[in-house]
Amino acid sequence: MKRVAILISGGGSNMVALAESMVGDHPARPVLVLSNVPGAGGLARAQAMGIPTAVVDHRPFGRDRAAFEAALQAELDRAAPDILCLAGFMRVLTEGFVTAWAGRMLNIHPSLLPKYRGLDTHARAIAAGDTQAGCSVHEVTAELDGGPILGQARVPILPGDTAGTLAARVLPMEHLLYPAVLRRFAEGDKSPVLLP
Ligand code: GRF
């Protein structure tokens, strides 16, 4: 049984979808929800699901990313996860941390990578006149939003869409894509999940 830690910074809707999927004959179970933001909404949702939680506030560490990550690692050592899922986790991780978790850390990004790495993905897709948008799950490497793609889900961009209406169309697809990718990944299958 694979042990999965989920890292969040906010509401944790992707964390909930992942946690709810890890039941029955699923080869993985959630062992920790870890946030860099005290009071992040996802922490209460994880606690309500009976999942252990922890907080490592990044602010006291200032610019010392390595010290912050050492504190993250200390929490992770306690939970001993096999797989890390970044789910709305909004801190950039150093090459050292990413290398330590190479091949065992996933992230979901709200664009059809390699397009629109970074922030404000939906606004950028609309501004570019794209007719499609979506989300991607990828292995995390030192290159921000740049690792091997493990799954993608596409949605149409409709006339009059705003970043908000597009985000609302993409988010439910994230909640389908990420659990599907995690299940395959936990089974050792890296063949991409493509939705719909
Ligand atoms: C989602 O758009 C996800 O793609 C991005 O963070 C946003 C919030 O995710 N990574 P969640 O609701 O906190 O899971």
Side-chain angles (χ1 to χ4, degrees), residues 41-68:
L43 291 167
R45 298 169 86 175
Q47 286 152 11
M49 297 171 80
I51 303 169
T53 62
V55 173
V56 178
D57 186 345
H58 64 276
R59 291 170 301 184
F61 296 96
R63 300 167 52 81
D64 189 345
R65 289 184 183 278
F68 165 61

Side-chain angles (χ1 to χ4, degrees), residues 3-6 29-34 52-54 72-84 101:
R3 300 167 61 85
V4 174
I6 305 171
R29 290 295 185 275
V31 295
L32 178 66
V33 171
L34 178 52
T53 62
L72 282 182
Q73 188 60 47
E75 289 297 341
L76 293 169
D77 289 344
R78 264 192 278 282
D82 304 295
I83 299 169
L84 296 192
W101 287 94

Side-chain angles (χ1 to χ4, degrees), residues 10-15 87-90 107-110 122 171 174-175:
S13 71
N14 276 289
M15 175 277 296
F89 186 69
M90 303 308 277
N107 181 47
I108 188 158
H109 179 76
H122 300 314
L171 197 56
E174 295 180 24
H175 299 159

Side-chain angles (χ1 to χ4, degrees), residues 148-170:
I149 302 280
L150 294 172
Q152 288 199 316
R154 292 175 184 278
V155 301
I157 296 179
L158 302 175
D161 259 337
T162 64
T165 58
L166 183 51
R169 192 173 306 124
V170 172

